[in-house]
């Protein structure tokens, strides 16, 4: 409930100070995005100059590809996970086409083996090796939105660098969900949105990580804007663009403060709770959900969990495939007050979130599953 006062505070500052709110008041707007950075550093494992909050995820993906996808006639391929989030697929296809390549020749997708749902790390690394001379960029999700699989970002980065590629990650489903150490893992760049696990309000701004080694790289190609220009000289309205040190040098515009206020409020909660403690609870919460579904399966073998069973290979989400009537089950659960998500063809995504879900709620959810299985005609129970 801290979002409302945070927005109210901005409205009050606006009504009192008008345009001067950019420079005055408790949280001047020209600096506002910076108040979010310390907590984000903890969440992704980065230094302050490696992070900036700006735009939305897909916009940032395009901006970062301008800098970090620099294909040549020899090295032009992008390796990504098969079944990536559609917006990423569209962005990447359009970038490849923009550079004059065809998506068929330039995009290499890594898929699970026949009959499997998850990607094997060895297959990802082997694919990188197979295209070693021709791969320009490796762009993976951190946690796959559909299966909930948390990839080994450090191993992927290491292999990518070995073959001379740049490595970036889309952390939409990873930030605030799983522990991340982007700086130490040596990741080149990463990006995220804030409206999933970060609870920052619909369409609130995304964030970007750019490794320190690019902090002072004025010659790295980028699409520039006045907010990325040297802050001390920004309002001198000079002709020549001098990028700010670090990720802030990729900013284009003055930030929408009303969208940032609830993100600031949300990050204060993450700061208070601490990612380590959240993760510790998350592992137990999801394991409990998994246990209850396994128990239920002993009576009605109806649910298949496609998310990895190892805690270090997943966040809080379990993707559950229902053998019969998945969509009906989804509607049944919604009707009984569970907030969850349906993905074609038959997957229910359940994400008990350590910030605000309880073990009792997980138990109640399992009771609903149980009630539903006894409501619908299920073929012969086993055992
Ligand atoms: C949600 C999501 C997006 C979309 O983010 P926008 O901020 O709406 O552009 C992109 N990629 C992934 C993996 C997502 O989960």
């Amino acid at each position: 409930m801290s979002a409302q006062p945070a927005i109210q505070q901005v409205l009050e500052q606006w009504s009192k100070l008008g345009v001067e709110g950019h420079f005055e008041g408790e949280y001047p707007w020209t600096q506002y995005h910076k108040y979010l950075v310390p907590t984000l550093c903890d969440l992704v494992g980065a230094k302050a100059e490696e992070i900036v909050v700006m735009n939305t995820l897909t916009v940032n993906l395009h901006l970062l590809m301008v800098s970090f996808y620099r294909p040549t006639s020899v090295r032009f391929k992008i390796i990504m996970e098969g079944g990536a989030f559609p917006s990423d697929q569209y962005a990447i296809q359009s970038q490849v086409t923009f550079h004059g390549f065809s998506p068929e020749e330039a995009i290499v997708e890594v898929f699970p083996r026949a009959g499997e749902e998850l990607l094997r790390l060895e297959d990802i690394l082997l694919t990188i090796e197979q295209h070693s001379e021709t791969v320009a960029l490796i762009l993976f999700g951190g946690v796959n939105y559909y299966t909930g699989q948390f990839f080994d970002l450090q191993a992927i980065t290491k292999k990518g660098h070995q073959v001379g590629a740049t490595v970036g990650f889309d952390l939409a489903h990873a930030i605030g969900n799983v522990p991340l150490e982007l700086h130490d893992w040596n990741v080149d760049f990463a990006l995220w949105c804030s409206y999933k696990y970060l609870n920052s309000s619909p369409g609130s701004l995304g964030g970007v990580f750019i490794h320190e080694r690019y902090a002072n790289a004025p010659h790295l190609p980028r699409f520039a804007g006045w907010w990325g220009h040297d802050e001390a000289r920004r309002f001198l309205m000079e002709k020549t663009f001098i990028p700010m040190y670090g990720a802030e040098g990729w900013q284009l515009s003055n930030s929408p403060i009303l969208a940032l206020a609830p993100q600031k409020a949300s990050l204060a909660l993450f700061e208070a709770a601490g990612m380590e403690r959240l993760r510790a609870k998350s592992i137990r919460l999801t394991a409990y959900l998994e246990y209850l579904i396994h128990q239920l399966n002993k009576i009605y073998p109806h649910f298949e969990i496609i998310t990895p069973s190892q805690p270090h290979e997943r966040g809080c989400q379990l993707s559950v495939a229902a053998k019969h009537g998945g969509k009906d089950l989804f509607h049944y659960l919604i009707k009984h007050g569970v907030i969850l998500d349906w993905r074609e063809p038959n997957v229910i995504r359940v994400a008990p979130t350590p910030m605000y879900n309880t073990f009792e709620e997980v138990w109640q959810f399992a009771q609903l599953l149980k009630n539903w299985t006894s409501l619908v005609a299920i073929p012969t129970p086993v055992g």
Side-chain angles (χ1 to χ4, degrees):
M1 283 293 101
S2 51
Q4 218 165 343
I7 295 170
Q8 200 59 43
Q9 197 272 339
V10 175
L11 290 175
E12 271 163 32
Q13 182 163 333
W14 184 22
S15 72
K16 283 197 197 108
L17 300 173
V19 67
E20 293 304 323
H22 279 97
F23 304 100
E24 288 172 27
E26 195 179 352
Y27 300 107
W29 303 325
T30 57
Q31 305 299 309
Y32 202 94
H33 61 286
K34 295 183 190 176
Y35 307 128
L36 287 65
V37 168
T39 310
L40 289 170
C41 285
D42 293 343
L43 294 184
V44 301
K47 299 183 175 187
E49 56 272 26
E50 293 176 317
I51 288 186
V52 68
V53 178
M54 61 179 191
N55 312 317
T56 48
L57 197 162
T58 309
V59 172
N60 286 331
L61 181 53
H62 279 296
L63 290 178
L64 291 180
M65 286 186 76
V66 165
S67 298
F68 294 105
Y69 177 56
R70 308 291 306 151
T72 66
S73 58
V74 179
R75 208 180 254 288
F76 58 92
K77 288 182 190 163
I78 299 176
I79 297 182
M80 61 188 291
E81 87 226 65
F85 193 83
S87 199
D88 298 37
Q89 295 190 43
Y90 307 149
I92 292 168
Q93 285 162 8
S94 63
Q95 283 277 340
V96 159
T97 312
F98 173 76
H99 283 285
F101 298 95
S102 77
E104 291 73 29
E105 61 173 344
I107 299 176
V108 179
E109 291 176 288
V110 192
F111 283 100
R113 295 183 187 184
E116 297 184 6
E117 298 276 1
L118 303 171
L119 277 178
R120 295 189 190 205
L121 178 62
E122 56 190 289
D123 290 353
I124 299 172
L125 301 184
L126 186 67
T127 307
I128 296 172
E129 218 163 272
Q130 282 166 344
H131 296 274
S132 56
E133 308 287 303
T134 53
V135 57
L137 176 64
I138 293 155
L139 194 52
F140 256 71
V143 173
N144 181 272
Y145 80 99
Y146 181 75
T147 62
Q149 182 176 15
F150 178 25
F151 299 113
D152 187 338
L153 307 190
Q154 187 174 20
I156 294 172
T157 305
K158 194 167 165 221
K159 176 59 79 180
H161 287 169
Q162 268 170 18
V163 305
T166 302
V167 184
F169 295 109
D170 179 338
L171 303 177
H173 290 264
I175 189 166
N177 182 20
V178 290
L180 298 161
E181 293 296 341
L182 299 180
H183 177 87
D184 288 348
W185 295 342
N186 217 11
V187 171
D188 292 296
F189 70 90
L191 61 172
W192 54 87
C193 57
S194 63
Y195 57 80
K196 287 161 189 165
Y197 291 99
L198 291 190
N199 314 312
S200 296
S201 82
S204 181
L205 275 70
V208 157
F209 164 91
I210 296 170
H211 198 279
E212 193 180 23
R213 63 180 157 276
Y214 305 108
N216 185 15
H219 303 300
L220 204 63
R222 71 184 86 190
F223 285 171
W226 75 318
W227 228 253
H229 184 74
D230 177 9
E231 192 175 22
R233 310 184 67 83
R234 187 180 289 151
F235 290 92
L236 299 180
M237 307 306 200
E238 295 163 323
K239 194 171 169 61
T240 309
F241 176 71
I242 306 166
M244 284 182 73
Y245 183 82
E248 287 196 282
W250 270 261
Q251 295 175 102
L252 298 183
S253 303
N254 195 357
S255 302
I257 305 302
L258 287 170
L260 280 183
Q263 183 168 164
K264 181 167 163 289
S266 171
L267 290 174
L269 296 179
F270 276 89
E271 185 69 35
M275 194 56 208
E276 232 167 83
R277 288 163 60 206
L278 286 170
R279 174 65 171 169
K281 179 182 167 190
S282 173
I283 287 173
R284 290 166 56 220
L285 205 55
T286 297
Y288 183 49
L289 174 62
E290 184 181 40
Y291 165 80
L292 293 176
I293 293 174
H294 284 159
Q295 291 301 104
L296 201 55
N297 267 342
K298 286 185 186 163
I299 313 166
Y300 299 108
H302 193 65
F303 303 106
E304 187 201 346
I305 300 173
I306 62 177
T307 306
S309 56
Q310 294 295 322
H312 71 273
E313 289 180 323
R314 69 185 184 199
C316 63
Q317 165 188 346
L318 290 185
S319 300
V320 182
K323 294 211 176 98
H324 316 274
K327 198 79 190 250
D328 290 343
L329 168 61
F330 172 70
H331 289 307
Y332 175 84
L333 292 168
I334 294 272
K335 209 178 91 193
H336 286 82
V338 185
I339 309 288
L340 73 177
D341 188 274
W342 169 258
R343 286 287 171 230
E344 296 293 342
N346 67 338
V347 165
I348 289 165
R349 298 190 303 169
V350 204
T353 309
M355 181 76 87
Y356 50 81
N357 282 127
T358 63
F359 289 88
E360 189 181 349
E361 285 168 338
V362 169
W363 180 82
Q364 285 167 343
F365 173 79
Q367 291 305 301
L368 286 172
L369 283 188
K370 192 169 168 186
N371 293 346
W372 184 78
T373 44
S374 51
L375 279 178
V376 294
I378 300 278
T380 7
V382 290

